Amino acid sequence: RISSSGFGRSFEERQWRLRVVGQLFLKKVRKSYGHFEVIKGVDLEVKDGEFVVFVGPSGCGKSTLLRMIAGLDDTTDGDIVIDGERVNDKPPVERGIAMVFQSYALYPHMSVFENIAFPLRVEKLSEEQIREKVGAVAKILQLDQRLQQRPGQLSGGQRQRVAIGRAIVREPKIFLFDEPLSNLDAALRADMRIELTKLHRDLEATMIYVTHDQIEAMTMADRIVVLNAGIIAQVGAPLELYHKPENTFVAGFIGNPKMNFVPVTCVGVDAIGVTISYEGQTALIPVEARPDLVGQKLTLGIRPEHTRLSEGDINIMVTPSVVERLGINTIAYAALQNGEPYCALLPGSAPIRVEQPMVTGIMAADCHLFDANGQALERRIDWRTLDLPASVTAAE
């Protein structure tokens, strides 16, 4: 999508775009090590220009899946298709991808300029083309004043930007990021999240990003792919996964602090929802009901930020074992009678103390409900309207 003259001129006009489009299909992709299957039949489509984030706990297969897309790991079965072409048998250099690793993987004896220029020298571009493209990338990443320095003279964030610059300068079809911010401190990670989001907007490039940090996923992704033990648990926009998780795994993984799970019993269903019972209290939860639920043990999900110290449709008494005061919020950690952890995210001035019983109220409209198999009963809300201004929602 950029002119054949290269990065330089189009960058000055602030209108340059990548020359190639990236579109990825994974079809029944599997990966086994001997008898141990790590990736268990993944189907996924990544559209041109999307920022897709793979998240999941350690060992779920997210980095393995990324390495298979890159060609660094062989595929046991299934197809990897980039721009309509099956690439399973192609080496990494011929797949049109560029990968940024957790470790910066920079050449310490080379300058920033030479580190970024390295893939262009491998392609035997002219010196003029190299200077033009490296200069444009350096401006994008705010490294133009550092080109003559070596990696040892740079901060962690600057080194990561050099690694990203080396990927950009190749003009790949797809960018792959394997936990690129995990070596940075918390403040720098926040800064780099912003920079990467701006970079994606400027490049309009297809990016696939692996992280175990759900904050990175929620703030950066167009869509999130939640992986669990080698399978996709759910794919969706960040707010979709937050407001309408399809199962208890996704519900417990997305959100910080994690969702509370409360054991309840179904005592009735109707056209409006499911009536549940908890310690002598009943409440009507607005979800899609099924007749077979009556009498079943269900799981009520409530996020800590949806608890309150005033009474609600359901009231839960707990005794905090730990109280964290963060200024704007206070977090209380406790346990239910069955031993399950329970967390309440309350205002910073909340009058609670350790080992002092408290009652938290929750509203039925804020609750999630899961059947005996951990599958969600669909909530009667439209998550797509929840991030609109109140005036727009009211007008609709």
Side-chain angles (χ1 to χ4, degrees):
R1 296 186 201 138
I2 65 169
S3 65
S4 58
S5 60
F7 283 87
R9 184 180 66 185
S10 48
F11 171 80
E12 295 298 330
E13 298 167 357
R14 300 296 294 175
Q15 295 176 340
W16 69 273
R17 292 294 183 263
L18 290 180
R19 180 187 300 117
V20 288
V21 296
Q23 194 169 32
L24 170 72
F25 292 90
L26 304 181
K27 301 179 180 179
K28 308 296 182 188
V29 170
R30 296 179 179 273
K31 176 65 178 178
S32 299
Y33 295 97
H35 296 294
F36 180 63
E37 192 171 32
V38 179
I39 303 296
K40 304 173 183 178
V42 166
D43 290 294
L44 181 67
E45 175 185 358
V46 178
K47 298 177 182 178
D48 176 34
E50 267 197 306
F51 196 127
V52 173
V53 177
F54 294 170
V55 297
S58 297
C60 70
K62 53 187 183 294
S63 290
T64 299
L65 190 58
L66 194 76
R67 291 175 60 85
M68 292 166 66
I69 296 169
L72 301 177
D73 283 348
D74 294 331
T75 303
T76 303
D77 195 14
D79 297 320
I80 299 175
V81 180
I82 297 177
D83 281 350
E85 183 179 6
R86 186 178 184 272
V87 299
N88 291 47
D89 300 323
K90 285 194 170 188
V93 70
E94 296 180 12
R95 295 194 180 194
I97 56 91
M99 191 161 180
V100 179
F101 297 90
Q102 178 177 344
S103 60
Y104 313 126
L106 303 178
Y107 298 105
H109 62 289
M110 291 184 180
S111 66
V112 168
F113 181 96
E114 290 300 331
N115 267 282
I116 297 175
F118 185 79
L120 303 180
R121 296 200 184 281
V122 172
E123 295 177 13
K124 302 188 184 314
L125 268 64
S126 70
E127 197 65 32
E128 181 181 355
Q129 288 176 306
I130 292 174
R131 284 198 303 271
E132 183 179 19
K133 292 191 174 187
V134 172
V137 168
K139 288 181 181 179
I140 296 167
L141 298 172
Q142 300 177 19
L143 292 170
D144 44 319
Q145 303 300 316
R146 305 279 184 174
L147 289 176
Q148 301 311 312
Q149 296 182 334
R150 293 186 178 182
Q153 298 172 281
L154 305 179
S155 67
Q158 290 167 339
R159 289 182 216 172
Q160 193 57 274
R161 289 205 295 272
V162 175
I164 293 170
R166 189 169 54 191
I168 294 174
V169 81
R170 293 184 56 210
E171 305 173 40
K173 298 176 183 178
I174 300 174
F175 289 90
L176 306 178
F177 295 88
D178 190 7
E179 302 198 43
L181 309 185
S182 59
N183 289 336
L184 307 179
D185 62 56
L188 194 50
R189 287 179 72 149
D191 292 341
M192 285 299 296
R193 285 203 309 269
I194 296 171
E195 290 190 28
L196 281 173
T197 302
K198 290 179 179 177
L199 182 65
H200 174 252
R201 183 186 63 210
D202 290 342
L203 297 182
E204 294 185 354
T206 305
M207 295 184 175
I208 302 175
Y209 188 102
V210 164
T211 182
H212 64 275
D213 187 335
Q214 59 170 288
I215 295 178
E216 290 180 13
M218 293 291 288
T219 55
M220 298 170 68
D222 295 321
R223 286 192 302 153
I224 297 174
V225 178
V226 183
L227 290 162
N228 179 26
I231 63 173
I232 293 179
Q234 188 174 350
V235 180
L239 284 181
E240 180 181 6
L241 269 58
Y242 178 85
H243 290 291
K244 285 197 170 184
E246 292 180 356
N247 48 63
T248 52
F249 177 82
V250 176
F253 191 83
I254 298 296
N256 186 28
K258 65 180 294 185
M259 182 182 287
N260 298 305
F261 295 115
V262 181
V264 297
T265 302
C266 175
V267 295
V269 298
D270 57 32
I272 300 176
V274 174
T275 301
I276 58 95
S277 172
Y278 174 75
E279 295 187 350
Q281 307 171 72
T282 60
L284 178 62
I285 310 301
V287 296
E288 297 292 336
R290 302 197 314 256
D292 65 304
L293 295 175
V294 178
Q296 286 193 19
K297 299 294 184 182
L298 306 179
T299 300
L300 186 75
I302 184 68
R303 296 198 180 278
E305 56 268 35
H306 294 150
T307 60
R308 58 183 71 186
L309 288 180
S310 58
E311 290 191 357
D313 296 324
I314 301 173
N315 300 307
I316 300 176
M317 176 172 284
V318 291
T319 302
S321 58
V322 175
V323 173
E324 295 179 342
R325 298 197 180 273
L326 306 179
I328 188 172
N329 294 120
T330 292
I331 306 176
Y333 297 92
L336 301 173
Q337 291 185 1
N338 65 350
E340 285 293 314
Y342 185 85
C343 178
L345 181 63
L346 304 167
S349 58
I352 59 174
R353 301 182 188 280
V354 172
E355 302 302 334
Q356 179 179 312
M358 68 178 191
V359 176
T360 60
I362 57 179
M363 305 304 294
D366 294 328
C367 293
H368 303 251
L369 201 58
F370 305 90
D371 65 18
N373 297 317
Q375 297 301 304
L377 304 177
E378 186 175 357
R379 301 178 73 199
R380 295 182 180 275
I381 64 167
D382 185 356
W383 65 269
R384 289 163 293 190
T385 66
L386 295 176
D387 59 339
L388 294 175
S391 58
V392 175
T393 307
E396 291 180 351

